[in-house]
Amino acid sequence: MSAEAAASFVQQWRAARPLRDLALRFLPADETGVPLLLALEFELFGILHLSAAPQVAGAKLAWWAEELAGFGTPAARHPLSLALAADARAARVPVALWPQAAVSLLRALEAPASADFAAQLQAAEVMAEPFARIECAFVFGAQADCARTRRVLAVQHLSSELLQAPQRTAQGRMPLSMQSLARHALARAQLDQPGAARAVALAEQCAALAAALHGADDLPGPVNGLRAAEAAHDRRALSRAARVAEPLQTLLAQRQGLTLTAAFASWRAARSAARTQRRMRGEP
């Protein structure tokens, strides 16, 4: 029963973006457990991105911190926890990292607005650190450098926050830095209202995120095939959103769409990541 329940969470993760079904076709046969891990991350980040109120998100994340503190023990209850613990690769992950992932999101929920984009990206990477370490240890082994995966996760988080800009503003959270607001003479309340200054600020944020994702290529460490496919797609989506009058609408459409160009880029990224995985395992 728990296996079926875990599969339903994987299906929710797959349904959130059409790209994922395509990327799964490029996944090596021995990596079928990876979607379970990504579904767990999707569940946790979804609480941060989609919850209607900070109090609701905080309560849910606190529950997950307790749940993951019991990872691999009889105290664990969630189907994803149980399914992942049954995978031999979970033993590669330091036990303390599992609850740290939920705690890092709790801290992000309470964090003040960042002064500028550099500080915003740094805070996102700090938040993404335990997730990146879990992901790299699970897929590649405990010694794998997680710097590149951490950057990709951070940019994906900030992109999701940007897509929720109106809701974030109503909840008192800021998807843009204070410097960006000051540069464009924007008040917090204006982020949920269409306007020229808002559009320019959002486009600048998309351009900065695309550049940060491009910079991930120069960081050490591997990225698993599914994550690499998403990063290639997100980079194109952010770059296109940075050049239009309605950045958020374009970013959402790009993320939810799947062109032949995007399919080819995803295939290429996934193949490259698969070669890295084989090389790290000492395979030809």
Side-chain angles (χ1 to χ4, degrees), residues 23-126:
L24 280 168
R25 300 180 188 181
F26 307 135
L27 191 70
D30 62 344
E31 294 299 332
T32 52
V34 176
L36 282 170
L37 178 61
L38 299 187
L40 174 63
E41 293 178 0
F42 177 71
E43 185 74 11
L44 289 169
F45 275 100
I47 294 170
L48 186 64
H49 296 151
L50 301 177
S51 290
Q55 296 88 343
V56 175
K60 290 181 178 179
L61 290 170
W63 183 91
W64 269 108
E66 180 182 350
E67 167 71 8
L68 293 175
F71 187 87
T73 75
R77 294 161 284 173
H78 196 278
L80 285 173
S81 302
L82 298 173
L84 280 167
D87 192 308
R89 287 168 296 185
R92 302 172 181 172
V93 180
V95 175
L97 285 177
W98 296 102
Q100 283 176 22
V103 171
S104 74
L105 296 184
L106 269 170
R107 290 173 178 162
L109 190 66
E110 301 166 354
S114 299
D116 54 28
F117 179 77
Q120 189 181 38
L121 181 61
Q122 182 180 25
E125 289 203 28
V126 169

Side-chain angles (χ1 to χ4, degrees), residues 44-256:
L44 289 169
F45 275 100
I47 294 170
L48 186 64
H49 296 151
L50 301 177
S51 290
Q55 296 88 343
V56 175
K60 290 181 178 179
L61 290 170
W63 183 91
W64 269 108
E66 180 182 350
E67 167 71 8
L68 293 175
F71 187 87
T73 75
R77 294 161 284 173
H78 196 278
L80 285 173
S81 302
L82 298 173
L84 280 167
D87 192 308
R89 287 168 296 185
R92 302 172 181 172
V93 180
V95 175
L97 285 177
W98 296 102
Q100 283 176 22
V103 171
S104 74
L105 296 184
L106 269 170
R107 290 173 178 162
L109 190 66
E110 301 166 354
S114 299
D116 54 28
F117 179 77
Q120 189 181 38
L121 181 61
Q122 182 180 25
E125 289 203 28
V126 169
M127 181 207 67
E129 174 81 14
F131 288 95
R133 290 178 62 193
I134 289 170
E135 195 169 306
C136 287
F138 186 91
V139 179
F140 301 105
Q143 302 307 312
D145 194 317
C146 73
R148 189 177 171 197
T149 295
R150 182 179 63 229
R151 170 65 62 82
V152 171
L153 275 165
V155 172
Q156 290 183 325
H157 159 66
L158 292 175
S159 299
S160 294
E161 289 284 280
L162 192 62
L163 283 168
Q164 297 289 320
Q167 296 93 318
R168 291 291 162 264
T169 304
Q171 295 166 10
R173 291 167 57 193
M174 293 294 297
L176 299 180
S177 69
M178 299 304 293
Q179 184 185 75
S180 178
L181 293 181
R183 184 167 58 249
H184 299 286
L186 280 168
R188 287 174 179 251
Q190 290 176 289
L191 282 180
D192 63 356
Q193 302 169 5
R198 171 183 179 267
V200 173
L202 294 175
E204 284 185 1
Q205 182 78 352
C206 287
L209 290 170
L213 202 49
H214 176 72
D217 293 343
D218 298 324
L219 295 174
V223 178
N224 75 74
L226 292 170
R227 184 72 65 194
E230 284 194 5
H233 195 227
D234 288 345
R235 185 169 155 185
R236 292 179 60 85
L238 287 162
S239 295
R240 182 160 294 185
R243 302 192 300 267
V244 299
E246 294 292 344
L248 294 190
Q249 291 180 15
T250 299
L251 180 59
L252 181 60
Q254 289 290 307
R255 281 168 60 97
Q256 293 301 320

Side-chain angles (χ1 to χ4, degrees), residues 28 31 136 139-141 144-145 148-149 219-225 228 268-284:
E31 294 299 332
C136 287
V139 179
F140 301 105
D145 194 317
R148 189 177 171 197
T149 295
L219 295 174
V223 178
N224 75 74
R268 185 170 57 187
R271 286 290 294 259
S272 176
R275 286 195 297 270
T276 299
Q277 288 178 235
R278 289 196 298 270
R279 186 168 63 251
M280 293 187 70
R281 291 196 293 253
E283 299 173 4

